Amino acid sequence: MALAEDAASVLEEFVQNGKNTAALDPQAGGLIQRPVANLPGEIAHLLEEIQAKDRVVQDCRMIAASRDASIQKFLKMNGAGQENPKDEQYSKTILASYEKAQMHQEEKIGLSERSAVLLDRQIKRLDLKIRDLQNEGAIAIDPQLPSLLNNTANLSTRMLPLSTSTT
């Protein structure tokens, strides 16, 4: 480097204009600039999408529960020996509702993983810049400074699986 950067200018640069925060965006198909100043808006947008999908999942569950209640009501009134004329139609509706809910749940997982990647990427870039400043002597090396670059602080290696099912 020709000129040593001070910590304040690095932070200002990181937050405002996104220099050195370029990333390959698979959706855009190329290199884009993503300043950290946009991160709260991006995360909020992803959370709104997750919330909208969650409402759809709840609607699917209500539809399935309603059709199941109709089947159960018919069974209570007429007994198990009598064929319900709407049983097949209700069963198809219940299965379709659960399939739709499952699809939206998987999309929610994808959106939450995307938001985690966005946040993790920005934190790692800031960590790299802080490490560069420490190596240049611009700021003191502090072993207590949290960092995703240290193996002990890397959350992705310590995360537990969501399901511990043995089946």
Side-chain angles (χ1 to χ4, degrees):
M1 271 191 191
L3 295 173
E5 298 176 281
D6 68 338
S9 65
V10 168
L11 184 59
E12 177 69 23
E13 178 182 298
F14 182 79
V15 171
Q16 294 303 321
N17 64 11
K19 184 178 177 189
N20 296 327
T21 61
L24 285 176
D25 187 357
Q27 292 178 344
L31 194 63
I32 59 164
Q33 294 291 326
R34 280 204 165 131
V36 75
N38 295 339
L39 189 61
E42 288 183 51
I43 299 293
H45 175 72
L46 290 171
L47 292 176
E48 287 171 2
E49 287 185 37
I50 290 171
Q51 190 176 38
K53 291 190 182 302
D54 196 43
R55 283 191 291 271
V56 171
V57 168
Q58 291 302 323
D59 291 343
C60 290
R61 288 181 180 165
M62 286 192 319
I63 290 169
S66 170
R67 297 304 182 262
D68 183 58
S70 296
I71 291 172
Q72 298 302 320
K73 182 179 177 183
F74 181 86
L75 288 173
K76 284 182 183 178
M77 292 177 66
N78 300 310
Q82 190 172 1
E83 183 71 25
N84 184 347
K86 295 186 178 182
D87 191 34
E88 187 176 326
Q89 175 189 358
Y90 285 170
S91 295
K92 287 180 182 178
T93 302
I94 291 169
L95 287 175
S97 292
Y98 281 131
E99 287 172 1
K100 184 177 179 182
Q102 180 66 31
M103 179 188 69
H104 283 282
Q105 288 286 40
E106 290 169 3
E107 290 173 1
K108 284 172 42 181
I109 290 169
L111 290 168
S112 64
E113 287 173 349
R114 184 173 167 204
S115 65
V117 166
L118 285 173
L119 187 60
D120 195 44
R121 196 178 291 156
Q122 294 294 351
I123 291 170
K124 284 182 181 177
R125 285 194 185 100
L126 184 58
D127 278 352
L128 287 171
K129 205 61 170 165
I130 290 171
R131 186 177 65 187
D132 290 345
L133 287 172
Q134 287 175 335
N135 291 339
E136 293 171 2
I139 59 174
I141 296 175
D142 183 4
Q144 299 298 323
L145 189 65
S147 173
L148 291 179
L149 300 176
N150 299 337
N151 287 336
T152 58
N154 191 347
L155 299 176
S156 64
T157 60
R158 295 188 302 170
M159 292 181 70
L160 298 175
L162 294 176
S163 173
T164 56
S165 174
T166 58
T167 57

